[in-house]
Amino acid sequence: MECTKKQCTVIGVVVGLIVLAGIVWHVMDWSDHRPDGDLFQVVLLANDQVFFGKMHDAYSRMPYMTDVYYLKQEPAKTDANGAILQGVAPSFKVIKRGVDELHMPTDKMYFNAKEILYWENVGSTSLVARGIQADKEQRAKNKAQAAQPTPPA
């Protein structure tokens, strides 16, 4: 089967674009654009909610997180009379999602990609990462203690 000059030109341009796209894909280092599996990620949503966890399918229409945490602000510090202390920085606690919620969600939280303002990897030595690690250690300790047989009275 022969092609006309116009058809051959179109086919040549399409093949050239496919080859060029393959070269660009191969040359670019996409690892910088994927969540680091060794770190937690933070997601900021358009409604100002922030979640920390392990990001999956980051560039799909419905990315999701596992091992999800959020921050809860602790009550303001007060003096003996109950007045809020001025100049004291607010403190936050890392909360594991799904533990204390009434609906006990599973450990998978899906997001509408259009609602994600940004996501990024969380530093391994950050306060949030250390808080998550401390929570995991405490949960493991509590689980081990619960598994211990109680001595007879």
Side-chain angles (χ1 to χ4, degrees):
M1 178 171 120
E2 293 184 29
C3 61
T4 66
K5 185 175 182 179
K6 186 176 182 181
Q7 290 172 328
C8 288
T9 302
V10 169
I11 291 171
V13 168
V14 169
V15 168
L17 288 173
I18 291 171
V19 169
L20 181 62
I23 290 170
V24 168
W25 182 267
H26 181 72
V27 169
M28 288 187 73
D29 183 10
W30 290 100
S31 63
D32 286 347
H33 306 285
R34 284 185 244 142
D36 185 328
D38 294 332
L39 300 174
F40 283 91
Q41 287 73 47
V42 58
V43 170
L44 175 63
L45 301 177
N47 63 5
D48 290 333
Q49 288 183 304
V50 178
F51 295 97
F52 302 88
K54 296 292 187 168
M55 186 79 156
H56 305 274
D57 295 341
Y59 295 104
S60 71
R61 285 187 15 223
M62 291 296 287
Y64 67 96
M65 279 187 137
T66 56
D67 207 9
V68 183
Y69 288 81
Y70 57 92
L71 298 178
K72 180 179 177 183
Q73 187 170 358
E74 294 290 312
K77 303 214 185 293
T78 57
D79 64 16
N81 297 324
I84 296 175
L85 295 175
Q86 299 299 318
V88 177
S91 61
F92 294 88
K93 182 176 181 182
V94 174
I95 305 293
K96 174 81 167 114
R97 183 176 178 272
V99 175
D100 295 324
E101 286 90 354
L102 291 174
H103 64 296
M104 297 295 291
T106 61
D107 193 29
K108 237 183 209 183
M109 185 176 192
Y110 289 88
F111 301 97
N112 179 343
K114 293 177 182 177
E115 297 299 315
I116 296 176
L117 295 181
Y118 75 84
W119 70 264
E120 63 186 359
N121 292 309
V122 173
S124 61
T125 59
S126 70
L127 288 173
V128 170
R130 292 190 330 236
I132 291 172
Q133 187 59 37
D135 180 76
K136 289 177 168 293
E137 289 169 3
Q138 185 63 48
R139 288 184 189 286
K141 183 179 175 182
N142 292 348
K143 189 175 182 178
Q145 287 175 348
Q148 299 265 336
T150 54

